[in-house]
Amino acid sequence: MRRITERLKNKNVTEHVYKIGALVIGFLFLLLIFATIRASFFGNLDPEKHIYFEIVFLLLLAVLAEVAVFYFRQQTVVVLMIFGILIGPGFLNITWDFLHSLNLPFQISAEAPVFFYHEEVIHLFAQLGAIVLLFKVGLHSKIEKLFSKENLLTALAGIVFPFVAGYFYAVLSGGSFGYSMFVGAALTATSVGVTVGILKEMKLLQKKFSEIIIGAAVIDDILALLLLSAVTNIVDIQGNAVASLIRVSVISTIFLLGAIVTGKYFIGYIDRKEMGTKRLLLSLSFMLLLAYVAEVINLSAIVGAFLAGIILNKSKNLAILEEKTFALELVFTPIFFISLGLLVDVKAVVAFFIPILILTALALLTKLIACGGMALLSKLSPNESLLVGIGMAPRGEVALIIASIGLANGVLPAAEYSVISAMALLTSFIVPPLLAYFIKRSTNLSDA
Amino acid sequence: MRRITERLKNKNVTEHVYKIGALVIGFLFLLLIFATIRASFFGNLDPEKHIYFEIVFLLLLAVLAEVAVFYFRQQTVVVLMIFGILIGPGFLNITWDFLHSLNLPFQISAEAPVFFYHEEVIHLFAQLGAIVLLFKVGLHSKIEKLFSKENLLTALAGIVFPFVAGYFYAVLSGGSFGYSMFVGAALTATSVGVTVGILKEMKLLQKKFSEIIIGAAVIDDILALLLLSAVTNIVDIQGNAVASLIRVSVISTIFLLGAIVTGKYFIGYIDRKEMGTKRLLLSLSFMLLLAYVAEVINLSAIVGAFLAGIILNKSKNLAILEEKTFALELVFTPIFFISLGLLVDVKAVVAFFIPILILTALALLTKLIACGGMALLSKLSPNESLLVGIGMAPRGEVALIIASIGLANGVLPAAEYSVISAMALLTSFIVPPLLAYFIKRSTNLSDA
């Protein structure tokens, strides 16, 4: 009897030793993790290794966004973009200046932490996120509905009206002819990524108004490209504007229709057998190839990815394709939305507050009136037309591209470039909450 | 009647017009694609856009490898590495020189095409491929089996024997003390990626000999790190070698055991609810975080990823985790194997043929004898022991790291660096066919 209790006691002792050991090791491990993270923020780690930290940081922000969405009842897309602003260099520098001005009793590092040393890589990841997002959206869309009369009319109105409004606004505020043309052009192209993110999150992609938004945005992208080509040629004067315009339209048409025509054969091959590694890789290559060619001919990469999606929509292996590529969306898409926030130049927004506000209001109103009006003419309900108008408002990357060309040409001064790029991003920021609000209101109305 | 036939005829005409139109558009589209690809190889496209091409190119190579595997009955891993050599700058330049020397009747571009302008990005993708591969392998492994007696003995023998052999070989060929220490150290660490790729492809990961290879390779990595720390300290003389050695061993131990101890709580959290977006992102962040910390403390990133895998092996959502992250393996892992081929410096291999051959033979034989012998002592069959010996032979990235530190320290001349790195890669090239051959032979034997 005594022996047994002794043995039990001994066993307890070993167990206790193990437990304490585990506790100590666990504590030291957490200390190691924290030390590494601290060094990643403030220290000077090997930049080649730092990239892993940057990816982890972005993924953890995405996790945090999921938590915030749950507690604050906001859209994930909005939360991700706000996080992007908060960790961007502009906002951080302001925060740091503020902290230093407080004369705190404890010391903080002299310089604001730099989160990202590998901007090109993060930018690429963000781009891949947008590509995968639009590819997935394409997978749920039908080709037949892309070039419908409603889409064409909505797109056309959404180009002409903002262009004219932007042009006259710039002329009235004392701009030259070339400058005004660029401001007009920058107001034209809808960037569909943000709207699609919201519609997807609210599971409304299959609605009629969502189809019009996506279809019209794709056509908008092409029309804006034509306009850009015309504007640069007219502004430069050198070169034959008409010839260049025809060239651009022919190439874009060949690209779009050609992909759809030859896509049939691609689907035929893909569907001949089950979707194994080879066919999955081939489908992803197809997506990236179309995105790449779209970039090369100066359309945006997401147009190519969307095109690849609607072509593969006809595959009978659609479900497998969707399921097996899930991880790409999981990892890359949040990075796209965070990077939109990262791009916001907080200092410029503060400095040019008034002109940015005016231009953003102009950008919102013109799309709202033109596209919403067209949707109303296409016999959508007033509520749905409103959603089309709002959904078409984000400008995003195409406006940024147009503005950067104007900057490079010397037509846009740096200050104006900041104003236009701030407008492009602000429209992307305003749309998500607006859209979410009006969608909820309209469902409340229809429930009543 | 006449009306109907006329209408039919008209319908036929429209159909024909459509068909011819589609044919023309399709042809022009293919022309556009080919022109873009040609420009990507030989032209000067916007480098920012070129990155998409580079990824497409790598993915299509992976598709081609799948086809080649089917026709040539080789391992995918081997085919991918060979493709990597073929598109690498070394081999291409030789091919181009040869083509020019032929005085062909048609003209070829003066310079060999450059496939990759974004080496850092491709390198990162390759690294992520290795991380995901080892993570997935970890998901199928059990912690309890990691630090078994067999693994420890195999790892220890696989460090001591190659180090001593490398040291004396270098001394005998007239090397200095420091130089010989570095050659010895470079021969020690097993790089497990290639072996695991083969074992996974042949569905042998669950075998006893696979477990020994993987476990011993992880321990090898840690021991090699300790050795490297000792060698650099002894060579530099400055600094206290013993103190540094203790520091490195303590940190590695804390990292390994600490991750396992605290991992239990992580699993607890992950398993509390179903595996949604949040928990999946968290698991991937966990993988990348451990890979990152492993890199920071100078272990290799794949050790951290493997560790994250074996920790998550205990999750009851293992199947979902496996399934939902499939795309990452699909895209990144082939890039890892291709990049191993890309790294081979064909000119150096030709120039230093004899010393590379000797060092590679030494590298193979020492691991074969030491690790195979230990496996035999651990009561594995002679066949299985042979497989352990071969499987432990690839050196890969750790040897490259050790050699590059030697180069930076000035202890290794550039020529010797080329010899060691060629050895590191050649061992990775020789192992796959050897391993496949002996596995097939042993199954044939057991079938008989």
Side-chain angles (χ1 to χ4, degrees):
Chain A
M1 193 65 203
R2 220 174 135 184
R3 256 193 172 167
I4 294 174
T5 45
E6 204 148 69
R7 216 191 279 164
L8 265 176
K9 234 185 188 169
N10 274 341
K11 203 195 153 198
N12 270 341
V13 170
T14 354
E15 239 174 42
H16 276 298
V17 169
Y18 269 123
K19 267 195 184 159
I20 293 170
L23 221 74
V24 171
I25 290 271
F27 175 74
L28 289 173
F29 173 72
L30 292 180
L31 221 67
L32 176 67
I33 299 280
F34 284 128
T36 308
I37 291 174
R38 211 196 114 82
S40 313
F41 280 136
F42 300 101
N44 42 0
L45 273 170
D46 182 353
E48 208 182 306
K49 293 171 182 174
H50 199 265
I51 181 64
Y52 295 117
F53 170 73
E54 294 172 22
I55 305 172
V56 175
F57 186 51
L58 289 170
L59 292 185
L60 286 178
L61 271 188
V63 174
L64 204 64
E66 296 271 339
V67 177
V69 164
F70 184 78
Y71 286 106
F72 300 116
R73 294 171 186 285
Q74 283 292 328
Q75 307 302 311
T76 314
V77 169
V78 181
V79 176
L80 286 172
M81 295 204 296
I82 292 174
F83 280 180
I85 295 186
L86 294 182
I87 61 168
F91 192 81
L92 269 182
N93 282 328
I94 293 173
T95 317
W96 235 248
D97 288 349
F98 176 71
L99 284 178
H100 278 291
S101 73
L102 286 182
N103 258 326
L104 293 169
F106 53 89
Q107 225 173 354
I108 55 167
S109 70
E111 304 230 336
V114 177
F115 295 155
F116 301 105
Y117 291 98
H118 299 85
E119 272 169 33
E120 352 61 76
V121 175
I122 303 300
H123 179 68
L124 173 67
F125 275 42
Q127 279 291 307
L128 289 176
I131 286 174
V132 171
L133 176 66
L134 267 288
F135 176 66
K136 291 268 164 142
V137 172
L139 282 181
H140 290 282
S141 314
K142 300 251 170 266
I143 290 179
E144 301 84 42
K145 293 183 181 162
L146 183 61
F147 295 109
S148 72
K149 206 184 68 192
E150 290 104 323
N151 295 359
L152 281 168
L153 284 177
T154 309
L156 203 64
I159 286 284
V160 174
F161 199 59
F163 176 74
V164 172
Y167 176 79
F168 281 109
Y169 162 73
V171 167
L172 286 178
S173 61
S176 69
F177 170 71
Y179 166 73
S180 306
M181 292 286 275
F182 260 97
V183 173
L187 281 178
T188 55
T190 291
S191 165
V192 81
V194 173
T195 301
V196 158
I198 294 281
L199 294 174
K200 195 168 187 205
E201 206 175 331
M202 301 185 97
K203 302 208 167 77
L204 293 168
L205 277 179
Q206 308 302 322
K207 295 268 175 191
K208 179 79 189 160
F209 70 86
S210 302
E211 280 170 3
I212 292 189
I213 292 174
I214 297 166
V218 168
I219 301 171
D220 248 18
D221 218 347
I222 301 159
L223 292 178
L225 169 73
L226 292 178
L227 192 66
L228 174 65
S229 155
V231 167
T232 39
N233 274 294
I234 292 168
V235 170
D236 284 1
I237 308 178
Q238 48 173 243
N240 189 337
V242 178
S244 152
L245 206 62
I246 291 173
R247 201 175 56 84
V248 171
S249 7
V250 168
I251 289 180
S252 306
T253 313
I254 288 174
F255 175 65
L256 284 175
L257 296 183
I260 293 169
V261 167
T262 54
K264 250 199 323 201
Y265 299 93
F266 182 68
I267 297 289
Y269 173 74
I270 288 285
D271 282 354
R272 211 173 297 154
K273 278 188 194 163
E274 227 184 51
M275 200 101 176
T277 313
K278 194 173 73 183
R279 275 151 222 269
L280 275 169
L281 277 173
L282 216 50
S283 305
L284 288 176
S285 308
F286 183 65
M287 168 190 86
L288 268 174
L289 182 66
L290 290 198
Y292 172 58
V293 177
E295 277 275 314
V296 169
I297 64 175
N298 285 324
L299 284 168
S300 130
I302 60 177
V303 170
F306 178 76
L307 197 60
I310 53 171
I311 288 169
L312 282 166
N313 170 271
K314 302 275 183 231
S315 164
K316 60 179 187 197
N317 289 316
L318 186 60
I320 300 174
L321 186 61
E322 265 267 271
E323 193 192 301
K324 294 274 184 188
T325 56
F326 173 76
L328 297 179
E329 205 182 344
L330 180 78
V331 170
F332 292 116
T333 308
I335 297 180
F336 165 59
F337 290 113
I338 296 174
S339 84
L340 280 183
L342 270 176
L343 287 173
V344 174
D345 183 350
V346 180
K347 278 209 171 136
V349 172
V350 175
F352 304 110
F353 188 66
I354 303 290
I356 288 171
L357 212 65
I358 295 174
L359 201 65
T360 307
L362 200 66
L364 274 174
L365 284 176
T366 48
K367 283 274 178 183
L368 188 64
I369 295 169
C371 302
M374 272 301 158
L376 212 55
L377 285 181
S378 310
K379 305 209 171 111
L380 260 65
S381 75
N383 257 323
E384 287 179 314
S385 304
L386 185 67
L387 294 180
V388 170
I390 299 171
M392 294 289 290
R395 296 310 199 279
E397 77 278 10
V398 187
L400 289 178
I401 291 169
I402 294 178
S404 67
I405 290 174
L407 185 70
N409 273 9
V411 180
L412 290 183
E416 302 301 324
Y417 170 76
S418 292
V419 171
I420 290 179
S421 63
M423 173 280 293
L425 290 162
L426 272 187
T427 49
S428 302
F429 270 84
I430 292 166
V431 163
L434 266 185
L435 207 58
Y437 172 76
F438 282 107
I439 286 171
K440 269 181 199 145
R441 211 193 58 162
S442 74
T443 47
N444 284 345
L445 283 177
S446 62
D447 285 353
Chain B
M1 192 66 202
R2 221 173 133 187
R3 257 197 175 163
I4 294 174
T5 45
E6 207 147 69
R7 216 190 280 162
L8 266 176
K9 234 188 192 167
N10 275 342
K11 204 195 153 199
N12 269 341
V13 170
T14 354
E15 237 174 43
H16 275 299
V17 169
Y18 269 124
K19 265 194 188 163
I20 292 170
L23 221 72
V24 171
I25 290 271
F27 176 73
L28 289 173
F29 173 72
L30 292 180
L31 222 65
L32 176 68
I33 300 279
F34 284 128
T36 309
I37 291 174
R38 211 196 113 82
S40 313
F41 279 136
F42 300 101
N44 41 0
L45 273 170
D46 182 351
E48 209 181 304
K49 293 172 182 173
H50 199 266
I51 181 65
Y52 295 117
F53 170 74
E54 294 172 23
I55 305 172
V56 175
F57 185 52
L58 288 171
L59 291 186
L60 286 178
L61 270 188
V63 173
L64 204 65
E66 296 271 339
V67 177
V69 164
F70 184 77
Y71 286 106
F72 299 116
R73 293 170 186 286
Q74 281 294 327
Q75 307 301 311
T76 314
V77 169
V78 180
V79 176
L80 287 171
M81 295 204 296
I82 292 174
F83 281 0
I85 294 188
L86 294 182
I87 60 168
F91 191 80
L92 270 181
N93 281 327
I94 292 174
T95 318
W96 235 247
D97 288 349
F98 175 71
L99 283 177
H100 278 291
S101 72
L102 285 183
N103 259 326
L104 293 168
F106 52 88
Q107 226 174 353
I108 55 167
S109 69
E111 304 228 338
V114 177
F115 295 155
F116 302 105
Y117 291 98
H118 298 85
E119 271 169 34
E120 351 60 75
V121 175
I122 303 300
H123 179 68
L124 173 67
F125 275 42
Q127 279 291 307
L128 289 176
I131 285 174
V132 171
L133 176 66
L134 267 288
F135 176 66
K136 291 267 165 142
V137 171
L139 282 181
H140 291 284
S141 314
K142 300 249 171 269
I143 292 179
E144 300 83 45
K145 293 184 181 161
L146 184 61
F147 295 109
S148 70
K149 206 184 68 191
E150 289 103 325
N151 295 359
L152 280 169
L153 284 178
T154 309
L156 203 64
I159 287 282
V160 173
F161 199 57
F163 176 74
V164 172
Y167 176 79
F168 280 108
Y169 161 71
V171 166
L172 287 177
S173 61
S176 69
F177 170 70
Y179 165 74
S180 306
M181 292 287 275
F182 260 97
V183 173
L187 280 178
T188 55
T190 291
S191 165
V192 80
V194 173
T195 301
V196 159
I198 294 280
L199 293 174
K200 194 167 187 204
E201 207 176 332
M202 301 187 99
K203 303 207 166 77
L204 293 169
L205 277 179
Q206 308 303 323
K207 296 268 177 189
K208 180 75 189 164
F209 70 86
S210 303
E211 281 170 3
I212 291 188
I213 291 174
I214 297 166
V218 168
I219 302 170
D220 249 17
D221 219 348
I222 302 158
L223 293 179
L225 169 74
L226 293 178
L227 192 65
L228 174 66
S229 155
V231 166
T232 40
N233 274 294
I234 291 167
V235 170
D236 284 1
I237 307 179
Q238 48 174 241
N240 189 338
V242 179
S244 152
L245 207 63
I246 291 173
R247 200 176 55 85
V248 172
S249 7
V250 168
I251 291 180
S252 306
T253 313
I254 288 173
F255 175 65
L256 285 174
L257 295 184
I260 294 169
V261 167
T262 53
K264 249 198 324 200
Y265 300 94
F266 182 68
I267 297 287
Y269 173 75
I270 288 285
D271 281 355
R272 210 174 297 155
K273 278 187 193 163
E274 227 184 49
M275 199 102 175
T277 313
K278 195 173 73 183
R279 275 152 222 269
L280 274 170
L281 276 172
L282 216 49
S283 304
L284 288 176
S285 309
F286 183 65
M287 168 189 86
L288 268 173
L289 182 65
L290 289 199
Y292 172 58
V293 176
E295 277 276 315
V296 169
I297 63 175
N298 286 322
L299 283 169
S300 138
I302 58 176
V303 171
F306 177 77
L307 197 59
I310 52 171
I311 289 170
L312 283 165
N313 170 271
K314 302 273 182 233
S315 165
K316 61 180 187 197
N317 289 315
L318 186 60
I320 301 174
L321 186 62
E322 265 267 270
E323 193 193 301
K324 295 272 183 189
T325 57
F326 173 76
L328 298 178
E329 205 183 343
L330 180 77
V331 170
F332 291 116
T333 308
I335 297 180
F336 165 59
F337 289 113
I338 295 174
S339 82
L340 280 182
L342 271 176
L343 287 173
V344 174
D345 183 349
V346 180
K347 278 207 174 139
V349 172
V350 174
F352 304 109
F353 188 66
I354 302 291
I356 289 172
L357 212 66
I358 295 174
L359 200 63
T360 307
L362 200 65
L364 275 174
L365 283 177
T366 48
K367 284 274 178 183
L368 188 64
I369 295 170
C371 301
M374 271 301 160
L376 211 56
L377 284 182
S378 309
K379 301 206 175 116
L380 262 66
S381 74
N383 257 321
E384 288 180 313
S385 303
L386 184 67
L387 294 178
V388 169
I390 299 171
M392 294 288 290
R395 297 309 201 278
E397 77 277 11
V398 187
L400 289 177
I401 292 169
I402 294 178
S404 67
I405 290 174
L407 185 69
N409 274 8
V411 179
L412 289 183
E416 302 302 324
Y417 170 76
S418 293
V419 171
I420 290 179
S421 64
M423 173 279 294
L425 291 162
L426 273 187
T427 47
S428 303
F429 270 84
I430 291 166
V431 162
L434 265 186
L435 207 57
Y437 172 76
F438 281 108
I439 286 171
K440 270 181 199 147
R441 212 193 59 161
S442 75
T443 46
N444 285 346
L445 281 177
S446 62
D447 285 353

